[in-house]
Every structure is written in structure tokens, then in C-alpha cells.
Amino acid sequence: MASILSGSFHHVRNCHMSCINISLLRFSSGKYILDQCNTRSLTTRAQLTREGPQNGTPESIKLHISKAEVVKPHIEPIQCYPALPNEEKLEAKMNRPATILVFDLETTGANSPGERIIEFAARNLMGGRNSTFQTLINPEIKIKNSYIHGITNSMVDRPRVPRIEDVIPLVMEWVRIQQEPGNPVVWLAHNGKTFDFHFFLREMSHCGYDIPDDWRFFDTLPLAKRLVDPTGKLKGRSIKELCKHFNIIVNEPAHRAMADVNMLSLIYQRLTISQEFTSLNLIEESLMASDIKWKPRSER
């Protein structure tokens, strides 16, 4: 079985990428196993430059990457449930109906306008080069819940760790590269409707970005709740419990953004197959940004 490689796409201000983390997916004794390892350093240069007047007015931020230096692993696609017979022609006409991006956040606390994102990770299920994005984020406030994800202020309070104002423009550029022309983008997150979507939309607004009209949001938790468990062994619908149910063994740090993205990508694949849930179903059941009742950012 082909390995699925997940490369960390770190963007930092005025610095070199130091390394990438690789997650290998292997199949052993009827179980999917995710292993993590590190590769040698890259020489890719990712640089942010600011343009605009220096009198306090907003500046534009641009990403400059030397394409000749970029060395990225090829990420294999994660195949989900195929089109049903009566949808085949429509799917073929639409090519791929949507660009599906699985994402996860780590934050300074629970869903509150005063809390901040400290890690962002995403992957395009179609795979390919540069199909993952991952970075730590300096929240510029105290992290109160390091015991959950292991991220401390000393890890993010560094010159080379970007602020959210630096990251959102890079996310927008990354999505632009991933999106297939004419198709919507669907953001997938587990329990996203009550957590991840709120943080993401809040920070998008804070950074002055409108949500594109062709963006959709899909919470995989309700889909997981439809899962029939004849054995009665499935105790809940958390990512941890679903990994147990689908025999996905994870040797990556728990509650880190890219680890959760990798797990959810495989879980979503298994959910779509077990429930015959197609990409067209995904689009039909996804939410518009206006359907998500998030609150504006505030100070803690």
C-alpha cells in the first residue's frame, strides 16, 4: 500500500524553513498506522515582505518563495466514497465537485472571543505537492491550556513564529493555489460548528478578510453520529474513539493540529465509504459562513 506523506508547510517571517515533519501511513495486521519521523533540513526560503506607507495605514503582505529551492514531498490523495451511478455524469461534468480541505486548530482556551489560535494545520484531500499547511502562531497572550496540546508560550513567543495577521494572508494564498477553478472550497473539521469554524472566521474578520462566497464549512461530527455500531463498543464520536473503531493506530502527538488533521482525513474516508456519502452530499450538507454564529474578537 502506498505511503501517505504529510509534510509540514511552515511559513515564517524573514527566515529559512528549518525542517519538515513527515507522517507515514502503513497498513499492518488489518490496521492503519500513522508514524511520525523527521527529515533533514530544507533550504527553502519563505519570506514575507510588507508594502505600504509607514504612517499607520494598513500594509499589504506578500509571500515570496523561491520555486527553484522548494523541495516538498508528494502527498498521495485520500480516496473517499465514489459517485453513485446516477451522479457519475454530473461528477464528470464538474470534474471534482469541490476542493476538500481538512483542518484543525489548537488554541489558548475554549471557544471564547478572548482566546486565540496558536497552531493551524490543513491538508487538501486530493494530495499533491504543497498540499499541506502547518504553522505555530504567536497569540501574544498567555496560553492557559498547555496541558492539553503541549504548546507553551516559550514555543510561540519567538521572532520566527508568525502572528495571526501574518498567517491569514498565507492561508488565503495557499487556498488559492489548491482550489480548482470554478469549484467551491469545503473546509472540514471535527466539531467545527462549535469550535474551529468560530476561531477561523473570527480571525479572518479580525485580519480584514471577507469570507469568499464559494467557501463552505462541514462539521464531520454529525456525520460520525450517523455511524451504525452493531458491536456497541463505540463509546463516543471523538477522533480518538473513531480511530479505535476504524483500526487507525496513531503514533503522533495527541492534540496537535497536523496529527488531528491526518487522523480526521482517514476517518472521513472511512465514514464516506461506510455511509456511501459522496462529495455531492458533502456540498449539499455544508454550511455557509453566514450559518455559523461566531462572535467578534475581544480582549481576554
Side-chain angles (χ1 to χ4, degrees):
M1 180 179 179
S3 295
I4 295 179
L5 303 179
S6 176
S8 300
F9 189 24
H10 291 276
H11 293 295
V12 294
R13 295 175 297 191
N14 302 323
C15 68
H16 289 83
M17 289 183 179
S18 59
C19 66
I20 56 174
N21 298 320
I22 300 295
S23 298
L24 299 176
L25 175 67
R26 55 191 172 90
F27 188 77
S28 176
S29 303
K31 297 182 179 181
Y32 291 99
I33 302 175
L34 277 169
D35 290 319
Q36 187 178 58
C37 61
N38 294 320
T39 66
R40 62 185 178 82
S41 299
L42 297 180
T43 58
T44 303
R45 179 184 295 275
Q47 184 174 5
L48 281 172
T49 60
R50 298 178 180 272
E51 296 181 350
Q54 304 299 317
N55 57 3
T57 57
E59 300 170 321
S60 63
I61 302 176
K62 294 184 178 181
L63 172 66
H64 299 281
I65 298 181
S66 174
K67 294 183 179 180
E69 295 178 344
V70 173
V71 181
K72 295 295 294 178
H74 182 83
I75 311 300
E76 295 294 333
I78 291 182
Q79 300 296 332
C80 297
Y81 188 74
L84 296 174
N86 63 341
E87 295 176 339
E88 286 178 350
K89 291 183 179 179
L90 180 58
E91 288 242 22
K93 180 181 179 181
M94 298 176 68
N95 191 9
R96 300 185 185 100
T99 299
I100 304 173
L101 306 178
V102 179
F103 83 109
D104 186 75
L105 309 173
E106 300 303 332
T107 67
T108 58
N111 182 14
S112 165
E115 303 298 345
R116 304 288 184 262
I117 299 172
I118 55 176
E119 189 175 39
F120 181 98
R123 71 175 295 162
N124 183 347
L125 285 188
M126 287 309 301
R129 291 188 178 276
N130 294 333
S131 59
T132 63
F133 184 109
Q134 178 185 11
T135 184
L136 288 171
I137 300 172
N138 185 350
E140 301 180 293
I141 63 173
K142 183 177 176 57
I143 299 173
K144 301 182 296 183
N145 57 348
S146 297
Y147 61 90
I148 294 177
H149 40 62
I151 302 173
T152 63
N153 277 101
S154 63
M155 293 169 62
V156 297
D157 190 14
R158 297 178 176 181
R160 290 188 173 187
V161 176
R163 298 168 296 116
I164 193 66
E165 291 84 359
D166 300 325
V167 172
I168 292 298
L170 299 179
V171 171
M172 297 295 289
E173 176 65 12
W174 178 75
V175 174
R176 185 191 66 77
I177 295 170
Q178 301 301 313
Q179 185 174 11
E180 296 197 28
N183 288 348
V185 169
V186 182
W187 291 91
L188 265 67
H190 202 63
N191 198 31
K193 190 176 180 180
T194 59
F195 190 79
D196 303 79
F197 300 161
H198 290 251
F199 275 96
F200 191 23
L201 296 178
R202 181 180 300 131
E203 297 295 15
M204 288 275 293
S205 176
H206 168 73
C207 293
Y209 283 87
D210 294 326
I211 308 303
D213 293 336
D214 57 357
W215 279 20
R216 303 290 185 272
F217 300 85
F218 184 81
D219 188 344
T220 54
L221 181 57
L223 182 63
K225 288 181 177 179
R226 302 179 201 170
L227 185 64
V228 176
D229 176 30
T231 66
K233 295 181 180 179
L234 188 57
K235 298 178 181 179
R237 298 299 189 272
S238 67
I239 287 180
K240 180 180 179 180
E241 289 296 326
L242 291 169
C243 279
K244 290 181 182 178
H245 178 76
F246 288 126
N247 290 323
I248 300 170
I249 298 177
V250 180
N251 295 327
E252 293 186 291
H255 295 293
R256 289 300 299 266
M258 186 53 78
D260 285 353
V261 164
N262 289 334
M263 287 185 279
L264 183 56
S265 297
L266 294 172
I267 289 169
Y268 179 70
Q269 175 194 45
R270 306 299 287 276
L271 288 173
T272 65
I273 293 172
S274 64
Q275 300 185 42
E276 300 185 351
F277 189 82
T278 72
S279 53
L280 294 176
N281 297 140
L282 173 69
I283 295 172
E284 291 171 357
E285 297 188 24
S286 61
L287 302 172
M288 301 284 290
S290 58
D291 297 322
I292 303 165
K293 307 304 179 184
W294 56 276
K295 295 180 180 179
R297 199 187 211 227
S298 65
E299 298 304 318
R300 193 187 264 175

